[in-house]
Amino acid sequence: MPVAMSGLGWPDSRRSESPNGVGWPEMGVSRQQTPGTGTPLVERMANVTQTPLNPGDSPLVREALSSVVSRETSATQTAAQPGETSNDGNGTWPRPSKTRVIAVANQKGGVGKTTTSVNIAAALSMHGQRVLVVDLDPQGNASTALATEHRGDVPDVYQVLVDDLPMADIVKQVPDMPNLYCAPATIDLAGAEIELVSLVAREARLRRALAAYEGVDFDYIVIDCPPSLGLLTVNALVAADEVMIPIQCEYYALEGLGQLLRNVDLIKAHLNPTLRLSTIVLTMYDGRTRLASQVAEEVRAHFGETVLNTVIPRSVRLSEAPSYGQSVMTYDPGSSGAMAYMDAAREIAHRATVA
């Protein structure tokens, strides 16, 4: 059989009798004959650079491309709680009797702290809650996701902690989100760990700044902590009433959890007796792997009702949204990640009535 006809060399100069819609004639098509029938056995590979489904694509190409697109919305969602619906529309959730200050902390990086902080805050604000996000990470990712300027000489959390600048001077309303506000962080915050060492009451400076804040009467203050257990995280834990821990559904995420919990206990014993571990969020859940299920089972067995019923699946939309200066709640409300964070925020809001 000639090399060109076998599909292994340069494509045959003759065009296919039926257009395949993939591009170059005979591209990715095997012309091997099925034994005993003389019928061509057509095997196509989806062209990864071709996103639209063209009319000329074969059923196999269409199926391959459709599976890539549908993978985003095929993640298994946790069922809503009894008496709740998966979508509350524009309804208002119960407001807490006093401001809930929640520190989102985990010294391990890449577990979804910023993603959780931003999207939980956005979901709460969309349902009648007044929410402030305090970006305490020098990388400023939460500020980026909330379209809040955090470069150059913009007043930020660093000046609040080190220079005693009033919190009201740095808080900005998030564009197109009337109930959501952000206290941005710049790269200057990276030096705060060293400069705070010599200051009086260094562990309580954020708490003092929030207590003196004169502005919006917030229902929630969400503090996005850096991936460390340094003075910035200590300031967040001293200022907070609750700790929310995002846990990636992988083994490594469990290794450092003990040290974080010991730090929480130390701060509760010596600096902030009202601090409590109120919420654990399982993030980056992949239902196709046995490991994710095992990690989720272990965490639930150990922490019980502290773990939210909702799990956050892996979602491309969660990663894409910050590049557009948005949370996933406004970027793609119908995505699996947005719906999961909406359900998680609903659980947190309703827990305020029984806390």
Side-chain angles (χ1 to χ4, degrees):
M1 179 182 294
V3 173
M5 293 298 291
S6 68
L8 301 177
W10 190 265
D12 191 358
S13 60
R14 292 174 297 173
R15 290 187 176 272
S16 173
E17 294 179 1
S18 59
N20 58 37
V22 180
W24 190 274
E26 302 290 326
M27 181 70 72
V29 179
S30 173
R31 303 296 298 176
Q32 292 176 327
Q33 305 295 316
T34 304
T37 64
T39 303
L41 177 62
V42 180
E43 297 175 350
R44 289 190 173 93
M45 294 179 59
N47 187 343
V48 294
T49 62
Q50 178 185 356
T51 302
L53 297 178
N54 295 327
D57 286 342
S58 73
L60 288 179
V61 173
R62 284 175 171 272
E63 182 180 353
L65 291 176
S66 296
S67 67
V68 174
V69 175
S70 64
R71 202 174 295 167
E72 166 63 27
T73 56
S74 63
T76 302
Q77 296 297 311
T78 302
Q81 295 304 297
E84 298 180 9
T85 59
S86 60
N87 187 0
D88 284 351
N90 294 321
T92 301
W93 293 341
R95 296 175 63 181
S97 57
K98 66 173 185 176
T99 303
R100 293 178 65 183
V101 185
I102 304 174
V104 183
N106 192 330
Q107 78 272 25
K108 186 180 185 303
V111 299
K113 289 186 297 297
T114 298
T115 301
T116 298
S117 301
V118 166
N119 290 298
I120 291 291
L124 290 168
S125 72
M126 293 168 68
H127 288 268
Q129 314 295 314
R130 296 184 295 265
V131 187
L132 169 64
V133 176
V134 178
D135 191 353
L136 213 59
D137 188 345
Q139 297 176 87
N141 294 147
S143 305
T144 298
L146 296 176
T148 303
E149 182 60 41
H150 62 103
R151 293 177 177 84
D153 298 327
V154 175
D156 71 320
V157 176
Y158 167 82
Q159 291 167 300
V160 170
L161 295 177
V162 177
D163 300 330
D164 292 321
L165 184 71
M167 182 69 76
D169 290 356
I170 72 168
V171 171
K172 300 291 188 296
Q173 182 179 328
V174 176
D176 303 320
M177 302 283 286
N179 289 325
L180 186 57
Y181 297 79
C182 178
T186 68
I187 193 62
D188 293 341
L189 194 57
E193 293 273 4
I194 298 174
E195 296 185 48
L196 283 172
V197 171
S198 60
L199 299 181
V200 177
R202 59 192 180 188
E203 301 93 351
R205 296 184 73 83
L206 179 60
R207 179 172 65 182
R208 187 178 65 183
L210 291 175
Y213 178 75
E214 295 181 357
V216 180
D217 183 17
F218 294 111
D219 297 303
Y220 293 84
I221 297 177
V222 180
I223 307 173
D224 180 31
C225 298
S228 71
L229 294 176
L231 271 175
L232 291 177
T233 299
V234 170
N235 262 269
L237 296 177
V238 172
D241 302 313
E242 307 174 36
V243 183
M244 180 190 300
I245 304 179
I247 298 180
Q248 185 181 4
C249 292
E250 294 184 3
Y251 174 73
Y252 285 144
L254 300 177
E255 283 197 315
L257 191 57
Q259 182 60 50
L260 174 61
L261 295 176
R262 283 191 290 272
N263 278 29
V264 170
D265 289 338
L266 286 172
I267 289 172
K268 183 176 181 178
H270 300 286
L271 298 170
N272 183 10
T274 64
L275 184 65
R276 64 187 179 92
L277 173 60
S278 66
T279 310
I280 290 178
V281 186
L282 296 171
T283 63
M284 303 182 189
Y285 183 85
D286 189 345
R288 299 170 299 177
T289 65
R290 184 178 302 174
L291 176 61
S293 300
Q294 290 175 340
V295 171
E297 289 173 5
E298 286 188 28
V299 173
R300 291 188 190 282
H302 191 273
F303 293 100
E305 294 183 356
T306 303
V307 186
L308 293 182
N309 294 313
T310 304
V311 297
I312 311 301
R314 289 189 177 274
S315 171
V316 175
R317 296 294 184 266
L318 291 172
S319 302
E320 290 177 351
S323 65
Y324 291 89
Q326 299 181 52
S327 68
V328 76
M329 313 310 300
T330 55
Y331 174 68
D332 190 353
S335 66
S336 59
M339 291 188 290
Y341 271 118
M342 186 65 76
D343 289 339
R346 182 186 296 108
E347 284 191 61
I348 292 170
H350 284 83
R351 286 185 178 193
T353 61
V354 296

